[in-house]
């Protein structure tokens, strides 16, 4: 070891000794997330260094095995042409496949034990380990990290994060993907309350989107509700430090749920329900999932396991890896700019979404509320895709508006509807035909330098996202807009279809995309008019992609025509 040090470097044996001694200096260390954006999100301020004795909860993502095999199995159980279609894996099967090697488990546990980590908890798949350490211990363990206290967001949320990159012993490079709880801040809502459109006279008009408007537009009858007698269930997940109130849900159903059978209460809340004011987005998610997927048992993941040093979305992923019985449909309104996330994090989260798909879970993510997005790279503008909307293993939901905002008419693009092409994930095979057709036939393509034409394209489907009524803090609030509205609506409809499938002895729909694209969007209203927003410059003048016949990167295949969609999806 002395000879190695005299040469200014450390050999393999010295590096191993350094690992056990918690030394991560020089050439014996590496940065798992060198590309993680560490700029402070707007609205957040530092309160200074964290107390060295303050307790932190950090999550260590352990390297998985057989990820390629997992990908093959997802394809097999999700493709209607496969003999394995619908034969989903149990959580234990997934665990047997991806569980880290014994060497990985031993190395990481020994390293954490030597650092003084305590109260460590794993998950069924053993690929995450969450431990408690003091700030002092964490800064010694993760070289370069320096924990600060922050406050920000509309709810004055508190968080403990490091503004500096962290490094791990190089001996762990093949064992740890990333450490959660250092950089990524809790998300903030992009939901908007738009000004009420002006109109003269109200004969034959509606005054905003309610459950009855949705059910009429998408052709649901009073009989299109759950039976209340199956093991069918659905869930929404919330990570915004805001909560729904049971009394708001009851009032919403009293005002707007009189024309259909529904459940008046959430069946299960996973996580912590705050005692403060209700949040509009949390209220919206629950109210419209439970009115679209009417009379179906509903769970709410409410900032699950939240601690100031934890990442709420990551905690939700851990819960999915630790429960064998889960709702069949999950709707999520969370997203981050792809470029703000490290490659290690984004690839690992994608595997977590793959694990859910293998188990037959339908994950729907909002496509975002910034159109194509925009950012500047080396002085040139580009569109800005969102993740997890861009993951090839989720169904992404865009947004539409009524052509006439006061009449139940055909739909056009809602200009905020997120969509585009991933800069991280290549185009999956299931959408090759649809995306190629759009790129070769669309008369309104933006300049090719603005997007990665070979990337995973999204959204996959859409629903109304403009002008919703929501009850929050006992007050009916009009004209709430965002893909956070369209996502639970589409999810609720899929839950109704699952109900029919389960009653016929069929498995739930699972990961929908391979079937959706193979059937060319059958059962959906094609949205062919409108464009979404993008960069405000002379080159594109605020216009991103435009909708057209068939699939497009603004509204996907279109919005649900429930009877036709049910007919298309009810049987294998």
């Amino acid at each position: 070891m002395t000879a190695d040090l005299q040469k200014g470097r450390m050999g393999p044996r010295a590096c191993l000794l350094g690992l056990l001694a918690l030394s991560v200096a020089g050439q014996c260390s590496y940065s798992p997330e060198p590309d993680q954006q560490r700029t402070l999100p707007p609205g957040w301020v530092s309160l200074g260094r964290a107390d060295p004795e303050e307790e932190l909860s950090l999550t260590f993502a352990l390297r998985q095995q057989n990820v390629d095999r997992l990908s093959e199995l997802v394809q097999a159980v999700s493709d209607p042409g496969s003999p394995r279609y619908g034969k989903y894996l149990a959580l234990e099967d997934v665990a047997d496949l991806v569980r880290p090697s014994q060497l990985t488990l031993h190395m990481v546990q020994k390293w954490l034990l030597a650092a003084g980590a305590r109260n460590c908890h794993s998950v069924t798949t053993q690929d995450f380990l969450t431990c408690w350490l003091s700030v002092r211990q964490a800064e010694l363990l993760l070289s370069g990290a320096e924990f600060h206290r922050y406050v920000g967001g509309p709810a004055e949320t508190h968080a403990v994060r490091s503004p500096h990159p962290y490094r791990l012993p190089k001996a762990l490079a093949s064992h740890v993907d990333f450490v959660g709880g250092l950089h990524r801040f809790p998300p903030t809502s992009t939901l908007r309350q738009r000004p009420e459109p002006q109109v003269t006279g109200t004969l034959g008009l509606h005054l905003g989107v309610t459950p009855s408007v949705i059910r009429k537009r998408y052709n649901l009858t009073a009989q299109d509700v759950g039976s209340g007698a199956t093991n069918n269930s659905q869930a929404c997940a919330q990570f915004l430090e805001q909560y729904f109130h049971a009394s708001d849900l009851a009032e919403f159903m009293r005002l707007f749920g009189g024309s259909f059978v529904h459940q008046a209460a959430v069946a299960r809340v996973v996580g912590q329900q705050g005692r403060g004011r209700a949040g509009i987005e949390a209220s919206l998610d629950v109210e419209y999932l439970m009115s679209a997927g009417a009379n179906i048992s509903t769970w709410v993941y409410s900032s699950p396991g939240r601690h100031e040093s934890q990442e709420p979305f990551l905690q939700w992923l851990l819960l999915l890896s630790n429960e064998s019985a889960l709702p069949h449909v999950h709707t999520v309104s969370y997203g981050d700019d792809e470029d703000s996330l490290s490659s290690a994090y984004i690839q690992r989260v994608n595997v977590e979404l793959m694990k859910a798909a293998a188990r037959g879970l339908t994950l729907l993510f909002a496509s975002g509320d910034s159109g194509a997005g925009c950012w500047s790279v080396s002085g040139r503008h580009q569109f800005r895709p969102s993740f997890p909307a861009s993951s090839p293993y989720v169904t992404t939901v865009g947004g539409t508006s009524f052509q006439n905002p006061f009449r139940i008419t055909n739909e056009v693009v809602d200009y905020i509807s997120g969509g585009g092409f991933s800069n991280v994930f290549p185009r999956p095979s299931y959408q090759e035909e649809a995306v190629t057709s759009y790129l070769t036939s669309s008369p309104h393509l933006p300049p090719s330098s603005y997007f990665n034409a070979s990337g995973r394209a999204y959204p996959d489907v859409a629903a109304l996202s403009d002008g919703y009524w929501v009850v929050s803090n006992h007050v009916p609030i009009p004209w709430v807009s965002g893909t956070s509205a369209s996502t639970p609506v589409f999810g609720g409809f899929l839950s109704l279809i699952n109900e029919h499938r389960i009653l016929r002895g069929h498995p739930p729909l699972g990961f929908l995309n391979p079937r959706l694209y193979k059937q060319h969007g059958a059962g959906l209203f094609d949205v062919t008019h409108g464009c979404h927003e993008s960069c405000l410059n002379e080159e594109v003048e605020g216009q991103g992609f435009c909708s057209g016949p068939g699939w497009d990167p603004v509204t996907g295949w279109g919005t649900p025509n429930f009877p036709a969609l049910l007919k298309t999806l009810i049987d294998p």
Side-chain angles (χ1 to χ4, degrees), residues 547-558:
S547 64
W551 179 90
D552 58 68
V554 193
T555 60
W557 285 106

Side-chain angles (χ1 to χ4, degrees), residues 16 20 58 94 98 138 142 155 157 167 204 241 257 267-268 272 275 294 353 412 428 439 449 451 480 498 510 526 570:
L16 181 58
L20 300 180
L58 299 178
V94 174
V98 304
L142 307 168
T157 303
R167 300 183 69 82
E241 289 298 309
R268 181 177 173 187
Q272 302 163 346
R275 297 182 178 179
L353 303 173
V412 296
L439 291 173
S449 60
F451 65 101
V480 175
N498 273 339
D526 196 3
I570 193 169

Side-chain angles (χ1 to χ4, degrees), residues 320-490:
L320 295 189
S321 277
N322 212 32
E323 290 210 28
S324 55
L326 290 169
H328 301 309
V329 174
H330 297 252
T331 73
V332 187
S333 301
Y334 157 82
D336 269 315
D337 297 323
E338 270 189 352
D339 58 90
S340 73
L341 302 169
S342 74
S343 176
Y345 176 85
I346 209 169
Q347 294 291 349
R348 174 56 187 267
V349 169
N350 195 52
V351 176
E352 298 309 304
L353 303 173
M354 198 191 302
K355 284 160 61 179
R359 295 173 62 192
L361 303 182
T362 303
L363 303 186
L364 294 105
F365 277 80
S367 68
D369 299 335
S370 302
C374 186
W375 68 313
S376 181
V377 184
S378 303
R380 288 205 42 89
H381 287 99
Q382 291 181 8
F383 295 158
R384 196 172 201 180
S386 175
F387 178 81
S390 64
S391 166
Y393 296 102
V394 304
T395 299
T396 304
V397 186
T400 60
S401 304
F402 282 126
Q403 198 161 10
N404 179 327
F406 292 101
R407 294 189 185 276
I408 301 176
T409 58
N410 291 337
E411 293 160 73
V412 296
V413 168
D414 185 347
Y415 68 90
I416 65 168
S417 179
F421 295 77
S422 174
N423 289 321
V424 176
F425 302 106
R427 183 189 306 159
S429 58
Y430 61 74
Q431 64 172 192
E432 183 68 39
E433 180 186 346
V435 176
T436 300
S437 175
Y438 175 81
L439 291 173
T440 54
S441 64
S442 174
H444 302 294
L445 279 182
S448 59
S449 60
Y450 277 73
F451 65 101
N452 172 29
S454 63
R456 181 327 196 204
Y458 70 97
D460 304 299
V461 294
L464 285 164
S465 57
D466 184 22
Y468 279 66
W469 280 91
V470 180
V471 174
S472 191
N473 299 300
H474 310 292
V475 178
I477 301 169
W479 303 109
V480 175
S481 301
T483 53
S484 297
S486 55
T487 307
V489 166
F490 206 102

Side-chain angles (χ1 to χ4, degrees), residues 2 15 136 161-162 213 229 234 274 280 301 325 355 369 371 377 509:
T2 306
C15 278
R136 187 193 312 276
R161 296 290 187 270
S162 170
V213 169
Q234 58 189 0
I280 293 179
Y301 288 86
K355 284 160 61 179
D369 299 335
V377 184
L509 287 166

Side-chain angles (χ1 to χ4, degrees), residues 44-45 150-159 186-187 240-242 306 308:
W44 286 83
V45 295
Y150 295 91
V151 64
E156 296 275 296
T157 303
H158 286 261
L240 294 171
E241 289 298 309
Q242 54 171 254
R306 175 82 172 102
E308 289 178 352

